[in-house]
Amino acid sequence: VIPGWFSEISPMWPGEAHSLKVEKILFQGKSEYQNVMVFQSSTYGKVLVLDGVIQVTERDECAYQEMIVHLPLCSIPNPKKVLVIGGGDGGVLREVSRHSSVEHIDICEIDAMVVDVSKQFFPELAVGYGDPRVSLHVGDGVAFLKSVDEGTYDAIIVDSSDPIGPAQELFEKPFFESVAKALRPGGVVCTQAESIWLHMHIIEDIVSVCRQIFKGSVNYAWTTVPTYPSGVIGFMLCSTEGPQVDFRHPVNPIDEKDEQSKAKEPLKFYNSEIHSAAFCLPSFAKRVIGS
Ligand code: AAT
């Protein structure tokens, strides 16, 4: 450990630890679920850390939040009801609200401290809570989904932390079964699905579970996020039986009109070309995941 630097150390990426220079620690607390820390870094803006793992930095959050939202929502016509699991910082909400077809957004985040800290230190993420279509539910995503009526959502976005700690069950088969039930026919889910450089075994398990459960499409996509372990992170995208979804060819491009009507900052990362490109996998990953 280098004095004055934050190093991200975890058994999920043994033998390596990405480090950021710390200018100032802004918040340290312990919630019912995890240790919460916010610091000002020298080169990535403010950083949110949960149990020692980087969740968001101001500089590169766009690459993750825009992709985890627009990959699923641009793949179906007219998404109306959307559920977000995790994502307490509000960044995913900010992106969902760019879609003018959306009528209602539920978010189920387990940790109220993440929501409060984001409102205090990350106004550009927490701005997502200002949309009147949003309802916040503080609780476990697994339990929340069990209480949802069948066929409720057009899209479910699982913006979850890593499978050590409160997010563990969000990577398991029963959870994916309840996701599939909560979706309408031809509805879509996009889940945080770790790194092809570090977690091929986890990805392989998720893919095999999803192939059993989702009778529409099952695809893996990825993006670059410099402050996530190995600098890349992926998403599992699946659709339920019903109207066919071709994730590689977005049918609902996000256009200027949608963005301007909400007076938002323009998209920084996502566009239709990067959408299609995100599904092209390196050969070593393609061999395990399939196409
Ligand atoms: N958009 C920021 C990226 C995240 S945040 C993940 C969120 O999931 C956290 O706020 C955490 O409190 C919440 N969470 C964890 N478990 C549950 C659960 N069971 N139900 C609801 N919310 C939960 C992801 C960062 C990825 C890091 C990659 N190394």
Side-chain angles (χ1 to χ4, degrees):
V1 180
I2 319 161
W5 290 64
F6 167 82
S7 291
E8 191 186 42
I9 295 169
S10 162
M12 281 196 65
W13 38 93
E16 61 186 274
H18 187 240
S19 302
L20 291 172
K21 193 165 187 221
V22 179
E23 294 286 314
K24 193 175 183 206
I25 292 179
L26 301 172
F27 179 87
Q28 265 180 313
K30 191 169 168 49
S31 76
E32 212 181 311
Y33 299 97
Q34 51 209 348
N35 288 306
V36 180
M37 179 181 52
V38 178
F39 70 88
Q40 179 70 47
S41 68
S42 315
T43 53
Y44 277 83
K46 281 179 219 138
V47 183
L48 172 66
V49 178
L50 298 178
D51 280 345
V53 177
I54 295 174
Q55 305 294 303
V56 152
T57 83
E58 286 181 314
R59 178 164 157 195
D60 64 5
E61 54 92 5
C62 60
Y64 176 80
Q65 329 262 24
E66 292 183 16
M67 292 295 271
I68 198 172
V69 170
H70 304 306
L71 289 174
L73 294 189
C74 294
S75 296
I76 52 171
N78 266 326
K80 290 197 170 81
K81 277 205 92 177
V82 178
L83 169 63
V84 179
I85 306 249
D89 54 78
V92 162
L93 298 174
R94 178 193 70 204
E95 294 305 318
V96 174
S97 69
R98 288 183 194 271
H99 289 261
S100 54
S101 66
V102 169
E103 293 167 357
H104 188 80
I105 311 165
D106 284 314
I107 174 167
C108 181
E109 160 64 49
I110 203 165
D111 196 340
M113 191 182 278
V114 174
V115 179
D116 294 342
V117 159
S118 184
K119 287 183 174 167
Q120 193 179 346
F121 296 101
F122 296 89
E124 280 155 31
L125 300 165
V127 64
Y129 287 102
D131 190 298
R133 295 169 291 179
V134 171
S135 354
L136 169 64
H137 310 262
V138 175
D140 181 7
V142 175
F144 181 84
L145 264 181
K146 284 187 187 144
S147 73
V148 162
D149 289 339
E150 269 186 44
T152 300
Y153 295 103
D154 299 292
I156 298 178
I157 295 163
V158 187
D159 177 16
S160 117
S161 31
D162 299 316
I164 294 183
Q168 193 186 325
E169 283 183 70
L170 304 179
F171 289 78
E172 292 169 1
K173 191 172 179 184
F175 174 73
F176 284 98
E177 284 166 342
S178 13
V179 167
K181 268 199 192 145
L183 285 170
R184 57 130 167 109
V188 293
V189 57
C190 180
T191 74
Q192 191 272 91
E194 302 297 351
S195 160
I196 50 174
W197 286 112
L198 298 169
H199 308 117
M200 258 345 268
H201 53 288
I202 299 177
I203 298 170
E204 199 176 354
D205 288 350
I206 299 177
V207 169
S208 107
V209 161
C210 287
R211 289 231 166 87
Q212 293 164 43
I213 294 170
F214 294 94
K215 300 300 178 197
S217 310
V218 175
N219 285 104
Y220 188 86
W222 58 296
T223 186
T224 136
V225 181
T227 59
Y228 282 167
S230 82
V232 306
I233 197 156
F235 309 104
M236 197 70 229
L237 285 125
C238 309
S239 69
T240 54
E241 195 168 15
Q244 195 54 40
V245 176
D246 179 359
F247 285 113
R248 288 163 189 264
H249 300 103
V251 293
N252 180 29
I254 185 153
D255 58 26
E256 297 277 301
K257 174 177 59 61
D258 267 357
E259 292 190 38
Q260 282 168 4
S261 68
K262 297 282 172 286
K264 295 264 165 172
E265 292 281 307
L267 288 167
K268 291 190 189 135
F269 191 89
Y270 177 90
N271 57 49
S272 296
E273 283 162 11
I274 222 161
H275 179 127
S276 296
F279 293 89
C280 299
L281 303 177
S283 301
F284 75 85
K286 211 168 159 178
R287 248 170 249 134
V288 176
I289 297 169
S291 59

